[in-house]
Amino acid sequence: MRILTLTEETKQNLKEDLLKRSPNSYREYEAKVGEIIERVRKEGDTAVFSYTEQFDHVTLTKDSLRVTKEEIQEAYEKVDPKLLEVMRKALVNIRAYHEKQRQYSWFDSREDGVMLGQKVTPLSSVGVYVPGGKAAYPSSVLMNVIPAKVAGVERIIMTTPCSRDGKVNPATLAAAQEAGVTEIYKVGGAQAVAALAFGTERIPKVDKIVGPGNIYVALAKKAVFGHVSIDSIAGPSEILVLADETANPRFVAADLLSQAEHDELASAILITTSEKLARQVSKEVDLFTQTLSRRAIIEASLENYGYILVAYDLEEAIETANEIASEHLEILTRDPFAVMLKIKHAGAIFMGEYSSEPLGDYFAGPNHVLPTNGTAKFFSPLGVDDFIKKSSIISYSREALEPIYEDIAQFAACEQLTAHANSIQVRFEGEDRRK
């Protein structure tokens, strides 16, 4: 990995480099995505079948589009029982963590007849997109579905591409069944997003679409936002390790590579105060890469977006970490808790040498659907809040409104909204408050 001294110039170049990975930088795909969405909107299932045959080389029909109970049962027979046991353990942890995020309706009453409150209601239906191209991600099924179940969403519809023989990955189907998905459709890409956003003859329209995907999926979610809600427009995966001289170089190298193997656009960055650690980590990265199965992807990722930055001191390192606002941030320092308190922007923070990033991906409980490309400055991890909506409750008695109705009318008159003022004043017609 390249080793650079951290300066304002290298910092700026790094940030510009990382921004190239944003879905917003791939506008040449937007016209094609728009075409797919519009055709699915107009032609429904016919367009979905056509695009699935064109892109995935699978012929779907009205009878084979939806995953059957028999296919789910067949999937269970193919999944390693040990993997199923692990998924069930992870599910317990994920559910327990998200249960703590639940919100409840509240009401506050006063003696003068005023009642204010907030009514919390789960979304009625959610679409979950699950990738099925280069690899299967049953962990993403759990992370996207369980918060929705905890929130109380009644209908959870999953779409995922199938293989050329018309089958969905068995582990993906088992995870969907365990998590509580209502129905599953064998369709992927922008056409799946469009189907969920507008509905077809057989795929229902949903209120919100969540889940990761390729650039076509990301841009399709961006395009349908407003017709439905979305979680976020996810970019490639990224990790930033913040380390001092106490860090174990093999641990750091292994953790950087855990994200570099996702795809060629993944970013792996180490910021350290130790030049010695920087050299050791670079050496360990080279040794690990030679033995890992996704070597070609890792090498491309590190060549394009892999960096080791040597900072003058820990404060400079922390400042840079906050500016980058990484999806995953590992803190491997002498006092990780003290450093964590100074971190303002990160999707998920892992503290200490035994809290590596895959722990969060699969098992600990916090969600692994995280903001990318610096959006951790204003976005949060996927959670129960993403699957609820809130309604304000306002109730005033006549006795509560009477002392203030002229104040409201004056405010409305200031904005030249006479109908607003009248709506309040009409309730006290004929009364003279000077009496």
Side-chain angles (χ1 to χ4, degrees):
M1 290 182 69
R2 77 198 85 180
I3 301 175
L4 303 173
T5 300
L6 183 57
T7 65
E8 285 301 318
E9 183 180 1
T10 57
K11 188 191 305 183
Q12 185 61 33
N13 290 340
L14 171 60
K15 289 192 291 184
E16 291 177 1
D17 207 21
L18 295 179
L19 283 176
K20 296 176 185 176
R21 303 155 58 251
S22 168
N24 293 319
S25 299
Y26 292 83
R27 299 192 182 279
E28 66 268 26
Y29 296 98
E30 288 183 347
K32 181 61 178 177
V33 168
E35 176 187 319
I36 293 170
I37 291 171
E38 190 58 27
R39 187 177 166 197
V40 172
R41 186 176 187 177
K42 291 179 178 178
E43 300 178 19
D45 287 341
T46 300
V48 169
F49 297 155
S50 175
Y51 283 123
T52 301
E53 187 163 5
Q54 178 182 343
F55 298 135
D56 299 329
H57 311 290
V58 179
T59 300
L60 292 177
T61 67
K62 62 180 182 179
D63 297 320
S64 62
L65 176 62
R66 182 172 174 176
V67 172
T68 64
K69 293 181 180 178
E70 291 74 21
E71 287 176 302
I72 293 174
Q73 182 58 46
E74 180 184 343
Y76 270 87
E77 294 169 2
K78 294 182 178 179
V79 175
D80 185 338
K82 292 183 179 179
L83 173 60
L84 193 59
E85 183 180 351
V86 171
M87 284 198 292
R88 286 170 175 164
K89 289 179 180 178
L91 191 151
V92 169
N93 293 341
I94 297 165
R95 181 188 293 121
Y97 181 87
H98 288 86
E99 285 280 359
K100 297 182 185 300
Q101 297 179 346
R102 292 187 67 179
Q103 294 195 43
Y104 300 91
S105 300
W106 59 267
F107 303 93
D108 183 26
S109 298
R110 301 199 315 235
E111 291 182 358
D112 61 358
V114 173
M115 184 182 74
L116 302 175
Q118 181 173 272
K119 185 175 184 289
V120 176
T121 309
L123 301 182
S124 297
S125 60
V126 168
V128 176
Y129 185 90
V130 178
K134 293 181 181 179
Y137 297 102
S139 61
S140 284
V141 177
L142 302 183
M143 292 293 182
N144 281 278
V145 174
I146 292 171
K149 293 292 291 185
V150 171
V153 178
E154 292 184 2
R155 192 173 191 181
I156 302 175
I157 298 159
M158 189 175 99
T159 63
T160 187
C162 60
S163 58
R164 295 193 180 192
D165 62 359
K167 300 292 185 181
V168 176
N169 180 274
T172 298
L173 288 184
Q177 181 69 12
E178 293 292 321
V181 170
T182 312
E183 53 210 87
I184 306 168
Y185 295 92
K186 304 173 186 176
V187 58
Q191 62 269 29
V193 174
L196 292 170
F198 300 108
T200 69
E201 294 88 336
R202 284 166 183 81
I203 301 177
K205 181 187 186 317
V206 298
D207 297 321
K208 184 166 189 171
I209 301 172
V210 301
N214 62 18
I215 187 64
Y216 288 96
V217 171
L219 290 176
K221 287 170 68 177
K222 178 182 177 182
V224 301
F225 177 66
H227 298 283
V228 293
S229 179
I230 62 171
D231 51 352
S232 64
I233 304 170
S237 188
E238 55 198 33
I239 185 171
L240 191 155
V241 178
L242 201 57
D244 61 16
E245 71 282 357
T246 66
N248 184 316
R250 282 182 63 78
F251 292 178
V252 174
D255 294 353
L256 291 170
L257 295 175
S258 73
Q259 294 306 291
E261 75 169 345
H262 268 294
D263 64 59
E264 293 85 350
L265 295 176
S267 168
I269 300 170
L270 165 64
I271 304 179
T272 180
T273 53
S274 168
E275 292 187 16
K276 180 181 178 182
L277 180 74
R279 293 190 298 270
Q280 290 175 324
V281 169
S282 182
K283 181 179 178 180
E284 294 290 348
V285 164
D286 291 340
L287 292 173
F288 275 131
T289 300
Q290 294 174 18
T291 64
L292 295 171
S293 62
R294 295 168 70 88
R295 177 176 178 176
I297 293 174
I298 289 171
E299 288 178 341
S301 168
L302 296 180
E303 175 66 25
N304 294 322
Y305 303 107
Y307 292 87
I308 297 176
L309 304 175
V310 180
Y312 174 74
D313 58 21
L314 195 55
E315 291 303 316
E316 183 183 45
I318 292 169
E319 179 186 342
T320 304
N322 278 324
E323 289 187 39
I324 294 173
S326 183
E327 177 188 18
H328 306 98
L329 173 65
E330 288 190 6
I331 303 175
L332 300 175
T333 60
R334 182 176 284 102
D335 188 352
F337 193 87
V339 173
M340 181 273 293
L341 294 176
K342 297 179 180 180
I343 295 298
K344 298 177 181 178
H345 311 302
I349 302 172
F350 301 78
M351 298 192 298
E353 63 181 8
Y354 291 99
S355 305
S356 63
E357 188 277 338
L359 179 65
D361 268 356
Y362 297 110
F363 204 79
N367 211 287
H368 78 198
V369 181
L370 302 166
T372 58
N373 282 113
T375 60
K377 291 181 178 179
F378 45 83
F379 278 141
S380 303
L382 190 73
V384 173
D385 279 358
D386 289 285
F387 300 101
I388 62 172
K389 53 190 177 67
K390 303 166 186 175
S391 302
S392 302
I393 303 296
I394 302 169
S395 176
Y396 267 59
S397 67
R398 178 184 175 86
E399 291 72 25
L401 183 60
E402 186 173 13
I404 61 167
Y405 84 90
E406 288 186 342
D407 295 337
I408 299 169
Q410 183 177 1
F411 217 146
C414 169
E415 298 184 349
Q416 299 182 26
L417 297 175
T418 55
H420 278 63
N422 182 64
S423 174
I424 291 290
Q425 291 169 325
V426 72
R427 285 164 167 76
F428 299 93
E429 284 180 324
E431 296 190 11
D432 186 352
R433 295 195 65 194
R434 292 172 295 179
K435 295 181 178 179

